[in-house]
Amino acid sequence: MKPDLIIARYGEVGLKSNRVRKRFENRLKNNIKASIDADVNINQARIYIFPKDFDDAIEKLKRVFGIVSYSPAVFTKSTFDDVERAVSEYADKLHEIGLLDENTKFAISCRRVGKHEFSSQEMAAFAGAVVVGKYSSSVDLTNPELTIYLEVREEDTYIFHEKIEGPGGLPLGTQGKVVSLLSSGIDSPVATYLMMKRGCQVIALYCDNQPYTSSDALKNFENLVDQLNLYASGAPIKKRVVKYGDYLSMCKSEAPDKMTCILCKSGMYKLAGKLAQKIHADAVIDGSSLGQVASQTLPNILATREDLDVPILSPLIGLDKVEISKIAEKIGTYEISKRDDGGCKAVPKYPETNADLELVKKVKNDIDQDEKLKEAFETIEY
Ligand SMILES: Nc1ncnc2c1ncn2[C@@H]1O[C@H](COP(=O)(O)OP(=O)(O)OP(=O)(O)O)[C@@H](O)[C@H]1O
């Protein structure tokens, strides 16, 4: 069935004050236009999308944050004659694709905005009679197999039967910039996705631990950013890589072996914080999930974050691996993260799980951590 347009709906955006809503709507409109070739208008909490290629648009709108649901629709005028003709044609098309016949239990749902010579119920009954007249289907308002929606908006009426789920959240770019510490693992791409869903524009920072990790891990990072960029129309993720192997090597030779992971993570936060300040981002995000691995205990979290100027947000902190993996599968990052990249060879046999804050402070001071990180920071290319 060839639709005339797609009607999309937003959720949280509608709860904002007029001024903020206008700004968020503009951002959403730009993000949609960056994703698909279409004319887009927003009016009274509905987004009217006229794409050049409907199949492409239906696929891509699944990945535009801010959209809660959308419906390919046909359009007519809000008079009984026009609605009768349009509903009749719509019913024929539903019949052609096997969704409507004499055995189908159906309902008409009518919503109205504006002044009309009919109530919503009267229009629903009228349209229902058109369908019954053509196909002798039975009306079932409680458990319909098919619902035909009529949205009467002033002089225009839209007819549709599908509500496709969008990703929800807030339009990308409405909540400022964050630096995401993105590894090649399962968790950090999910953390990044969740912050994008809350409207954040992302700069992804990968700490390249070669020779302790392989070039495959770097490739996985790049593939993960490409996958996440399918959700980033309007504000694509920028990739940044810091050469981190020399710093790690220094930690291994100058600090207690047990502390390698603490110093590694603490250094990553500091570099990400420095980058955030340089590019005017407001926060750093990571994929920590409390207790998931030995290094992600509360004492370790405190010891690795105690001396930072930028907030570290960990959106997965309360989720378990199954919950995280489910999201990763849904957003298409799981398969990439699962590729074997050889892991990190710098991890000691017995990593610290209960870091002593004072000792960590002392070791950071002894190895002159900040100075060493300055050298690493210089390796980031823009
Ligand atoms: N090489 C890296 N580059 C950038 N960030 C990293 C890197 N390694 C770890 N991180 C960050 O630190 C967090 C916790 O580190 P951990 O060593 O548990 O990660 P991982 O298991 O390699 O990957 P993930 O947590 O993404 O599954 C990661 O979620 C990520 O945000």
Side-chain angles (χ1 to χ4, degrees):
M1 180 178 322
K2 171 108 177 54
D4 295 328
L5 77 164
I6 297 173
I7 298 186
R9 304 159 196 91
Y10 53 58
E12 279 181 80
V13 173
L15 304 174
K16 305 289 174 201
S17 66
N18 282 347
R19 196 172 50 84
V20 175
R21 195 175 62 229
K22 203 83 233 121
R23 185 161 57 80
F24 282 26
E25 284 179 346
N26 280 337
R27 189 74 212 206
L28 180 55
K29 185 171 156 177
N30 289 343
N31 292 351
I32 294 171
K33 283 167 81 77
S35 172
I36 56 180
D37 190 0
D39 287 332
V40 181
N41 308 310
I42 303 187
N43 190 11
Q44 293 183 319
R46 287 288 181 273
I47 309 156
Y48 300 90
I49 303 167
F50 299 87
K52 300 257 154 40
D53 178 339
F54 274 90
D55 292 338
D56 178 65
I58 286 167
E59 192 49 38
K60 287 187 176 157
L61 288 171
K62 282 185 192 144
R63 298 193 290 258
V64 177
F65 294 117
I67 294 180
V68 166
S69 70
Y70 55 100
S71 306
V74 300
F75 152 83
T76 190
K77 288 284 159 195
S78 305
T79 68
F80 281 113
D81 282 352
D82 286 302
V83 169
E84 180 175 7
R85 191 166 16 81
V87 167
S88 171
E89 280 172 21
Y90 202 85
D92 288 344
K93 292 195 176 131
L94 289 173
H95 178 67
E96 266 167 43
I97 57 173
L99 289 179
L100 178 69
D101 62 22
E102 71 274 17
N103 297 315
T104 311
K105 293 179 186 159
F106 82 101
I108 304 274
S109 164
C110 180
R111 289 179 57 143
R112 233 168 25 86
V113 175
K115 277 203 162 146
H116 301 96
E117 55 174 0
F118 46 82
S119 68
S120 303
Q121 256 182 344
E122 280 165 352
M123 182 48 94
F126 174 77
V130 173
V131 176
V132 174
K134 288 207 86 162
Y135 290 104
S136 309
S137 325
S138 49
V139 173
D140 184 340
L141 298 182
T142 324
N143 275 318
E145 295 159 322
L146 169 74
T147 301
I148 300 172
Y149 298 90
L150 297 189
E151 212 161 289
V152 181
R153 297 199 153 237
E154 313 288 354
E155 280 113 64
D156 299 327
T157 292
Y158 303 91
I159 304 171
F160 54 91
H161 70 284
E162 281 179 289
K163 281 191 179 172
I164 304 167
E165 207 180 314
L170 294 170
L172 193 69
T174 55
Q175 299 301 310
K177 276 195 276 189
V178 294
V179 171
S180 172
L181 276 166
L182 192 69
S183 72
S184 59
I186 293 173
D187 302 340
S188 45
V190 174
T192 306
Y193 169 86
L194 291 179
M195 295 307 289
M196 289 163 72
K197 189 174 171 184
R198 295 310 303 155
C200 292
Q201 181 177 358
V202 170
I203 292 83
L205 178 64
Y206 176 73
C207 301
D208 186 355
N209 295 344
Q210 295 191 66
Y212 299 101
T213 53
S214 67
S215 57
D216 288 348
L218 174 60
K219 214 176 288 154
N220 284 0
F221 159 76
E222 284 174 351
N223 293 158
L224 285 165
V225 174
D226 293 344
Q227 178 64 24
L228 287 169
N229 260 335
L230 297 178
Y231 297 85
S233 293
I237 302 172
K238 290 191 183 119
K239 296 173 192 165
R240 296 289 176 259
V241 176
V242 57
K243 291 197 171 65
Y244 205 53
D246 286 350
Y247 167 78
L248 258 190
S249 178
M250 179 280 298
C251 292
K252 283 198 85 66
S253 60
E254 293 183 25
D257 199 38
K258 222 175 148 46
M259 286 227 184
T260 305
C261 296
I262 298 276
L263 295 172
C264 173
K265 201 55 47 67
S266 142
M268 285 184 187
Y269 290 141
K270 284 192 176 176
L271 287 175
K274 244 166 122 65
L275 179 61
Q277 279 175 336
K278 184 177 166 108
I279 63 173
H280 308 293
D282 299 315
V284 168
I285 58 181
D286 88 331
S288 294
S289 151
L290 187 61
Q292 189 190 92
V293 287
S295 58
Q296 292 173 11
T297 60
L298 284 178
N300 283 14
I301 287 173
L302 175 62
T304 51
R305 302 181 185 192
E306 52 89 24
D307 52 355
L308 302 168
D309 302 324
V310 176
I312 309 287
L313 307 178
S314 302
L316 309 183
I317 201 75
L319 299 189
D320 64 33
K321 198 77 191 182
V322 175
E323 292 166 316
I324 297 168
S325 299
K326 259 193 205 151
I327 303 175
E329 278 174 20
K330 196 180 92 185
I331 64 176
T333 55
Y334 188 80
E335 284 306 317
I336 306 169
S337 297
K338 283 302 275 183
R339 289 177 199 154
D340 186 13
D341 59 22
C344 178
K345 309 233 167 0
V347 177
K349 196 161 178 207
Y350 301 107
E352 182 60 79
T353 59
N354 187 19
D356 176 330
L357 185 56
E358 292 312 313
L359 184 60
V360 173
K361 283 184 184 171
K362 179 177 176 318
V363 172
K364 284 190 214 170
N365 195 41
D366 289 349
I367 64 171
D368 206 357
Q369 187 196 38
D370 289 336
E371 205 47 44
K372 300 286 175 359
L373 288 170
K374 266 189 202 156
E375 287 165 29
F377 193 71
E378 296 304 316
T379 67
I380 301 178
E381 285 176 17
Y382 298 90

